[in-house]
Amino acid sequence: MNSKKTTSMHAMKYEDAMRQLENIVEDMENGELDIDEMGKQLQKAQQLIKLCKEKLTKTNQEIHQILEGNTDKS
């Protein structure tokens, strides 16, 4: 089950992950989570942050490769 969550999380778009993070933060700020749920949501937030960081790093590398390719052709 955990590998299914990981697979579906990696398939998630950056914008969707950010939206989920924003919802978690909003719920925490509004005091809508009990202590057990807060622990679960913090773990989920940690996974979402990692996913967003990986996606940003990958996109940054792709942009650098494209830009380097363009400067080689000039």
Side-chain angles (χ1 to χ4, degrees), residues 31-58:
E32 296 177 10
L33 303 174
D34 62 33
I35 194 72
D36 294 323
E37 187 62 26
M38 186 178 295
K40 291 177 187 176
Q41 292 300 312
L42 282 171
Q43 288 177 341
K44 183 176 180 180
Q46 186 177 28
Q47 293 171 339
L48 290 166
I49 290 167
K50 181 180 177 189
L51 174 72
C52 289
K53 185 177 179 181
E54 288 170 356
K55 288 187 178 286
L56 288 171
T57 300
K58 181 180 177 197

Side-chain angles (χ1 to χ4, degrees), residues 7 9 11 38 41 53 55 63 65 69 72:
T7 302
M9 188 157 299
M38 186 178 295
Q41 292 300 312
K53 185 177 179 181
K55 288 187 178 286
I63 289 170
Q65 287 176 349
D72 290 342

